[in-house]
Amino acid sequence: MRTESDCVFCGISAGDLPSTTVARSERAIAFMDINPVTPGHTLVAPLSHATDLFDVTAEDLVACVHLAQQIAERARDRLGADGVNLLNCSGVAANQTVFHFHVHVIPRFEDQPSKDRIGLPWESVPGDLDEIERIGALLS
Ligand code: AMP
Ligand code: ZN
């Protein structure tokens, strides 16, 4: 198991730092975010340290997504969430602030501004088709 001595989420996984842990599996842990953007905002992280999406192993990634799905179901069934956003920030450019891979599970509440005032960080605007094809070719 990889650990980093100065990593907050390694500390939480090991039980050395406080957290409100809500679920664990063999490879992953789910705990409440201390700055929730909506009620029930949870973080799911591998027990073994990985910096980000580029660093996490396929097995740990699968374990995190699987646990995130369970948390999403609980948010729907127990908190009355109407939907859920999964979010991962990998890299400073993507606003990552804790460099131990994690997935945010963000319960969403329709027409309940007291619980949910967030939107999406982009506007949906039709793109240039040639540019989309050119970039698509780079990713193919
Ligand atoms: P990110 O910007 O994607 O790296 O997200 C890091 C998240 O970790 C933020 O939403 C913080 O509120 C959250 N966070 C930081 N420290 C803790 C902690 N000790 N316990 C729970 N959540 C934390
Ligand atoms: Zn760590």
Side-chain angles (χ1 to χ4, degrees):
M1 173 99 52
R2 253 173 96 188
T3 57
E4 298 267 326
S5 54
D6 58 350
C7 173
V8 176
F9 290 178
C10 281
I12 288 174
S13 302
D16 295 336
L17 291 176
S19 72
T20 303
T21 293
V22 296
R24 282 182 88 97
S25 69
E26 261 182 38
R27 286 181 173 269
I29 182 169
F31 53 95
M32 306 305 290
D33 193 302
I34 47 168
N35 300 301
V37 297
T38 65
H41 182 176
T42 303
L43 302 175
V44 179
L47 298 175
S48 186
H49 183 85
T51 308
D52 55 25
L53 183 62
F54 304 106
D55 189 39
V56 68
T57 65
E59 291 86 352
D60 281 350
L61 182 60
V62 167
C64 286
V65 172
H66 188 220
L67 194 54
Q69 183 186 43
Q70 291 172 19
I71 300 303
E73 287 167 356
R74 290 185 199 178
R76 179 193 61 194
D77 298 344
R78 304 181 192 179
L79 306 181
D82 301 299
V84 166
N85 286 120
L86 290 190
L87 174 72
N88 164 253
C89 305
S90 281
V92 172
N95 293 98
Q96 185 173 7
T97 59
V98 175
F99 291 86
H100 177 130
F101 175 81
H102 54 280
V103 178
H104 296 255
V105 182
I106 305 173
R108 303 303 305 268
F109 301 89
E110 216 171 355
D111 300 326
Q112 296 185 70
S114 65
K115 289 185 175 178
D116 187 339
R117 286 185 174 279
I118 64 173
L120 285 174
W122 62 77
E123 257 181 84
S124 191
V125 177
D128 179 86
L129 285 182
D130 290 339
E131 183 69 351
I132 292 168
E133 293 236 336
R134 187 185 70 77
I135 295 173
L138 292 175
L139 294 175
S140 299

